[in-house]
Amino acid sequence: SQGQIVGNSALSGDTTSHAFLWQRGRMTDLGTMPGDVSSKAVAINDQGQIVGYSEDINTSRSVVWQNGGIWDLNTLISADAAASMSLLAAYGINDRGQILILAIVPNWEFTEPIVATPTAQHWPPHGSRHFVLPDHVRDQIRQHRERGAEHLHE
């Protein structure tokens, strides 16, 4: 991370906190997703990509900060995956841009942490699909959708 530190901070008396990047003796507020009230930065890689989560009053979502922008990782996975799970928080990122994420399926059963692999290294992202989920996660999504279809036909 080349002397950079990430985390979250609040001013005295605040009820929420924001993610920050500390570098060259200066703290920069990374902000939140639009409409959210707090954020937490958890990890940074040598390319300066920062991961963590942004929260509203009800839930959180995995995010990545890069080049002054913030992206919801739920919008960077396939439509099938996004319809079958929610990426709640990102907890790590390596120098290849692979992100360790905690996901949840609609019936609120937590999955094991998953690793999302980027399909391109370009930021900000363009297009609709930028991360590939592991095969076993794609299988879980497929099984979950099949179970849902079976219940509709009962």
Side-chain angles (χ1 to χ4, degrees):
S1 66
Q2 303 181 20
Q4 299 166 309
I5 300 169
V6 296
N8 65 293
S9 177
L11 297 174
S12 178
D14 282 353
T15 58
T16 64
S17 62
H18 276 200
F20 72 81
L21 168 65
W22 179 272
Q23 62 183 351
R24 295 186 283 282
R26 187 170 175 185
M27 183 186 294
T28 302
D29 184 344
L30 297 174
T32 66
M33 291 296 299
D36 286 357
V37 295
S38 67
S39 60
K40 294 180 177 49
V42 179
I44 184 170
N45 66 11
D46 284 342
Q47 284 71 43
Q49 296 169 314
I50 301 166
V51 297
Y53 49 101
S54 183
E55 303 171 299
D56 65 16
I57 59 171
N58 296 312
T59 191
S60 68
R61 50 187 155 171
S62 297
V63 296
V64 61
W65 288 272
Q66 171 87 22
N67 297 330
I70 182 174
W71 289 269
D72 181 344
L73 291 174
N74 289 283
T75 66
L76 302 178
I77 58 175
S78 71
D80 282 347
S84 300
M85 68 172 49
S86 180
L87 306 179
L88 296 179
Y91 288 103
I93 185 167
N94 65 23
D95 289 335
R96 292 185 309 234
Q98 294 175 308
I99 300 174
L100 178 63
I101 301 171
L102 179 64
I104 195 169
V105 294
N107 64 355
W108 296 96
E109 292 178 16
F110 281 92
T111 66
E112 74 275 9
I114 59 174
V115 175
T117 301
T119 58
Q121 292 297 322
H122 304 288
W123 289 90
H126 300 286
S128 61
R129 183 176 171 185
H130 302 284
F131 285 91
V132 176
L133 301 176
D135 288 339
H136 74 282
V137 173
R138 291 196 307 264
D139 289 343
Q140 286 177 343
I141 292 168
R142 197 168 17 263
Q143 290 169 6
H144 178 75
R145 292 178 72 210
E146 289 169 358
R147 280 194 305 267
E150 288 172 6
H151 291 298
L152 290 175
H153 298 293
E154 290 179 349

mmCIF file of all heavy atoms in Angstrom, residues 84 105-107 109 139-154:
data_model
loop_
_atom_site.group_PDB
_atom_site.id
_atom_site.type_symbol
_atom_site.label_atom_id
_atom_site.label_comp_id
_atom_site.label_asym_id
_atom_site.label_seq_id
_atom_site.Cartn_x
_atom_site.Cartn_y
_atom_site.Cartn_z
ATOM 1 N N SER A 84 -29.568 -12.848 -7.355
ATOM 2 C CA SER A 84 -29.574 -13.987 -6.437
ATOM 3 C C SER A 84 -28.839 -13.746 -5.131
ATOM 4 O O SER A 84 -28.921 -14.555 -4.225
ATOM 5 C CB SER A 84 -28.951 -15.200 -7.125
ATOM 6 O OG SER A 84 -29.678 -15.523 -8.279
ATOM 7 N N VAL A 105 -27.620 -14.380 0.477
ATOM 8 C CA VAL A 105 -28.678 -14.721 -0.481
ATOM 9 C C VAL A 105 -30.013 -14.224 0.079
ATOM 10 O O VAL A 105 -30.118 -13.944 1.270
ATOM 11 C CB VAL A 105 -28.719 -16.242 -0.776
ATOM 12 C CG1 VAL A 105 -27.458 -16.681 -1.497
ATOM 13 C CG2 VAL A 105 -28.909 -17.044 0.481
ATOM 14 N N PRO A 106 -31.057 -14.109 -0.758
ATOM 15 C CA PRO A 106 -32.303 -13.477 -0.312
ATOM 16 C C PRO A 106 -32.952 -14.072 0.937
ATOM 17 O O PRO A 106 -33.639 -13.351 1.652
ATOM 18 C CB PRO A 106 -33.217 -13.630 -1.526
ATOM 19 C CG PRO A 106 -32.281 -13.656 -2.677
ATOM 20 C CD PRO A 106 -31.070 -14.398 -2.175
ATOM 21 N N ASN A 107 -32.764 -15.336 1.231
ATOM 22 C CA ASN A 107 -33.383 -15.892 2.441
ATOM 23 C C ASN A 107 -32.519 -15.663 3.684
ATOM 24 O O ASN A 107 -32.746 -16.264 4.710
ATOM 25 C CB ASN A 107 -33.699 -17.372 2.248
ATOM 26 C CG ASN A 107 -32.468 -18.221 2.038
ATOM 27 O OD1 ASN A 107 -31.352 -17.701 1.947
ATOM 28 N ND2 ASN A 107 -32.647 -19.513 1.933
ATOM 29 N N GLU A 109 -29.386 -16.382 4.406
ATOM 30 C CA GLU A 109 -28.364 -17.351 4.803
ATOM 31 C C GLU A 109 -27.031 -16.837 4.288
ATOM 32 O O GLU A 109 -26.850 -16.659 3.098
ATOM 33 C CB GLU A 109 -28.654 -18.717 4.184
ATOM 34 C CG GLU A 109 -29.883 -19.386 4.735
ATOM 35 C CD GLU A 109 -30.150 -20.713 4.045
ATOM 36 O OE1 GLU A 109 -29.247 -21.238 3.371
ATOM 37 O OE2 GLU A 109 -31.264 -21.202 4.176
ATOM 38 N N ASP A 139 -22.617 -21.916 -9.085
ATOM 39 C CA ASP A 139 -23.448 -23.112 -8.895
ATOM 40 C C ASP A 139 -24.500 -22.876 -7.811
ATOM 41 O O ASP A 139 -25.657 -23.278 -7.954
ATOM 42 C CB ASP A 139 -22.593 -24.328 -8.520
ATOM 43 C CG ASP A 139 -21.750 -24.833 -9.681
ATOM 44 O OD1 ASP A 139 -22.051 -24.476 -10.847
ATOM 45 O OD2 ASP A 139 -20.786 -25.572 -9.421
ATOM 46 N N GLN A 140 -24.119 -22.226 -6.708
ATOM 47 C CA GLN A 140 -25.080 -21.922 -5.639
ATOM 48 C C GLN A 140 -26.190 -21.016 -6.160
ATOM 49 O O GLN A 140 -27.359 -21.209 -5.826
ATOM 50 C CB GLN A 140 -24.380 -21.227 -4.470
ATOM 51 C CG GLN A 140 -23.527 -22.134 -3.636
ATOM 52 C CD GLN A 140 -22.796 -21.372 -2.545
ATOM 53 O OE1 GLN A 140 -22.679 -20.146 -2.594
ATOM 54 N NE2 GLN A 140 -22.295 -22.096 -1.560
ATOM 55 N N ILE A 141 -25.825 -20.036 -6.962
ATOM 56 C CA ILE A 141 -26.829 -19.131 -7.540
ATOM 57 C C ILE A 141 -27.791 -19.913 -8.415
ATOM 58 O O ILE A 141 -29.004 -19.764 -8.324
ATOM 59 C CB ILE A 141 -26.133 -18.007 -8.345
ATOM 60 C CG1 ILE A 141 -25.368 -17.084 -7.401
ATOM 61 C CG2 ILE A 141 -27.148 -17.227 -9.188
ATOM 62 C CD1 ILE A 141 -24.424 -16.137 -8.102
ATOM 63 N N ARG A 142 -27.244 -20.774 -9.259
ATOM 64 C CA ARG A 142 -28.070 -21.582 -10.165
ATOM 65 C C ARG A 142 -29.016 -22.477 -9.356
ATOM 66 O O ARG A 142 -30.207 -22.555 -9.632
ATOM 67 C CB ARG A 142 -27.158 -22.419 -11.075
ATOM 68 C CG ARG A 142 -27.808 -22.972 -12.297
ATOM 69 C CD ARG A 142 -26.831 -23.555 -13.315
ATOM 70 N NE ARG A 142 -25.476 -23.870 -12.875
ATOM 71 C CZ ARG A 142 -24.413 -23.059 -13.052
ATOM 72 N NH1 ARG A 142 -24.549 -21.908 -13.648
ATOM 73 N NH2 ARG A 142 -23.214 -23.428 -12.642
ATOM 74 N N GLN A 143 -28.505 -23.132 -8.300
ATOM 75 C CA GLN A 143 -29.330 -23.996 -7.461
ATOM 76 C C GLN A 143 -30.405 -23.192 -6.742
ATOM 77 O O GLN A 143 -31.561 -23.628 -6.644
ATOM 78 C CB GLN A 143 -28.465 -24.736 -6.441
ATOM 79 C CG GLN A 143 -27.583 -25.790 -7.062
ATOM 80 C CD GLN A 143 -26.544 -26.317 -6.085
ATOM 81 O OE1 GLN A 143 -26.553 -25.975 -4.906
ATOM 82 N NE2 GLN A 143 -25.633 -27.143 -6.582
ATOM 83 N N HIS A 144 -30.066 -22.031 -6.257
ATOM 84 C CA HIS A 144 -31.030 -21.178 -5.565
ATOM 85 C C HIS A 144 -32.157 -20.780 -6.517
ATOM 86 O O HIS A 144 -33.332 -20.818 -6.145
ATOM 87 C CB HIS A 144 -30.329 -19.943 -5.009
ATOM 88 C CG HIS A 144 -31.242 -18.994 -4.322
ATOM 89 N ND1 HIS A 144 -31.752 -19.229 -3.069
ATOM 90 C CD2 HIS A 144 -31.759 -17.822 -4.723
ATOM 91 C CE1 HIS A 144 -32.528 -18.243 -2.721
ATOM 92 N NE2 HIS A 144 -32.554 -17.361 -3.711
ATOM 93 N N ARG A 145 -31.806 -20.399 -7.727
ATOM 94 C CA ARG A 145 -32.827 -20.009 -8.703
ATOM 95 C C ARG A 145 -33.703 -21.188 -9.087
ATOM 96 O O ARG A 145 -34.913 -21.047 -9.253
ATOM 97 C CB ARG A 145 -32.158 -19.396 -9.930
ATOM 98 C CG ARG A 145 -31.509 -18.055 -9.590
ATOM 99 C CD ARG A 145 -30.799 -17.447 -10.744
ATOM 100 N NE ARG A 145 -31.799 -16.979 -11.694
ATOM 101 C CZ ARG A 145 -31.596 -16.917 -12.990
ATOM 102 N NH1 ARG A 145 -30.464 -17.292 -13.500
ATOM 103 N NH2 ARG A 145 -32.541 -16.465 -13.786
ATOM 104 N N GLU A 146 -33.111 -22.387 -9.228
ATOM 105 C CA GLU A 146 -33.895 -23.583 -9.572
ATOM 106 C C GLU A 146 -34.867 -23.932 -8.447
ATOM 107 O O GLU A 146 -36.015 -24.279 -8.702
ATOM 108 C CB GLU A 146 -32.971 -24.762 -9.873
ATOM 109 C CG GLU A 146 -32.226 -24.611 -11.185
ATOM 110 C CD GLU A 146 -31.117 -25.646 -11.374
ATOM 111 O OE1 GLU A 146 -30.886 -26.480 -10.462
ATOM 112 O OE2 GLU A 146 -30.463 -25.591 -12.426
ATOM 113 N N ARG A 147 -34.425 -23.825 -7.186
ATOM 114 C CA ARG A 147 -35.307 -24.089 -6.045
ATOM 115 C C ARG A 147 -36.455 -23.093 -6.038
ATOM 116 O O ARG A 147 -37.594 -23.450 -5.766
ATOM 117 C CB ARG A 147 -34.538 -24.023 -4.724
ATOM 118 C CG ARG A 147 -33.746 -25.274 -4.412
ATOM 119 C CD ARG A 147 -33.298 -25.287 -2.971
ATOM 120 N NE ARG A 147 -32.553 -24.103 -2.579
ATOM 121 C CZ ARG A 147 -31.232 -23.991 -2.615
ATOM 122 N NH1 ARG A 147 -30.491 -24.988 -3.035
ATOM 123 N NH2 ARG A 147 -30.643 -22.876 -2.232
ATOM 124 N N GLY A 148 -36.170 -21.839 -6.337
ATOM 125 C CA GLY A 148 -37.224 -20.832 -6.389
ATOM 126 C C GLY A 148 -38.229 -21.136 -7.474
ATOM 127 O O GLY A 148 -39.438 -21.003 -7.274
ATOM 128 N N ALA A 149 -37.775 -21.597 -8.618
ATOM 129 C CA ALA A 149 -38.687 -21.935 -9.735
ATOM 130 C C ALA A 149 -39.531 -23.147 -9.363
ATOM 131 O O ALA A 149 -40.717 -23.201 -9.706
ATOM 132 C CB ALA A 149 -37.884 -22.187 -11.000
ATOM 133 N N GLU A 150 -38.952 -24.129 -8.663
ATOM 134 C CA GLU A 150 -39.711 -25.318 -8.244
ATOM 135 C C GLU A 150 -40.847 -24.919 -7.313
ATOM 136 O O GLU A 150 -41.960 -25.424 -7.426
ATOM 137 C CB GLU A 150 -38.787 -26.315 -7.538
ATOM 138 C CG GLU A 150 -37.820 -27.015 -8.478
ATOM 139 C CD GLU A 150 -36.794 -27.833 -7.716
ATOM 140 O OE1 GLU A 150 -36.887 -27.960 -6.478
ATOM 141 O OE2 GLU A 150 -35.871 -28.342 -8.376
ATOM 142 N N HIS A 151 -40.602 -23.998 -6.394
ATOM 143 C CA HIS A 151 -41.635 -23.578 -5.443
ATOM 144 C C HIS A 151 -42.767 -22.838 -6.148
ATOM 145 O O HIS A 151 -43.909 -22.902 -5.729
ATOM 146 C CB HIS A 151 -41.047 -22.693 -4.351
ATOM 147 C CG HIS A 151 -40.129 -23.449 -3.423
ATOM 148 N ND1 HIS A 151 -40.564 -24.492 -2.647
ATOM 149 C CD2 HIS A 151 -38.805 -23.306 -3.168
ATOM 150 C CE1 HIS A 151 -39.550 -24.967 -1.945
ATOM 151 N NE2 HIS A 151 -38.467 -24.271 -2.252
ATOM 152 N N LEU A 152 -42.464 -22.147 -7.221
ATOM 153 C CA LEU A 152 -43.508 -21.439 -7.963
ATOM 154 C C LEU A 152 -44.462 -22.390 -8.658
ATOM 155 O O LEU A 152 -45.611 -22.069 -8.879
ATOM 156 C CB LEU A 152 -42.867 -20.524 -9.021
ATOM 157 C CG LEU A 152 -42.130 -19.299 -8.466
ATOM 158 C CD1 LEU A 152 -41.459 -18.560 -9.623
ATOM 159 C CD2 LEU A 152 -43.089 -18.374 -7.733
ATOM 160 N N HIS A 153 -43.978 -23.601 -8.999
ATOM 161 C CA HIS A 153 -44.802 -24.565 -9.739
ATOM 162 C C HIS A 153 -45.509 -25.555 -8.823
ATOM 163 O O HIS A 153 -46.191 -26.436 -9.297
ATOM 164 C CB HIS A 153 -43.946 -25.325 -10.766
ATOM 165 C CG HIS A 153 -43.353 -24.405 -11.793
ATOM 166 N ND1 HIS A 153 -44.126 -23.728 -12.714
ATOM 167 C CD2 HIS A 153 -42.074 -24.043 -12.040
ATOM 168 C CE1 HIS A 153 -43.339 -23.001 -13.484
ATOM 169 N NE2 HIS A 153 -42.097 -23.175 -13.095
ATOM 170 N N GLU A 154 -45.333 -25.435 -7.517
ATOM 171 C CA GLU A 154 -45.983 -26.382 -6.587
ATOM 172 C C GLU A 154 -47.441 -26.038 -6.375
ATOM 173 O O GLU A 154 -47.885 -24.953 -6.474
ATOM 174 C CB GLU A 154 -45.254 -26.373 -5.236
ATOM 175 C CG GLU A 154 -43.884 -26.996 -5.346
ATOM 176 C CD GLU A 154 -43.148 -26.959 -4.020
ATOM 177 O OE1 GLU A 154 -43.590 -26.279 -3.069
ATOM 178 O OE2 GLU A 154 -42.120 -27.611 -3.927
#
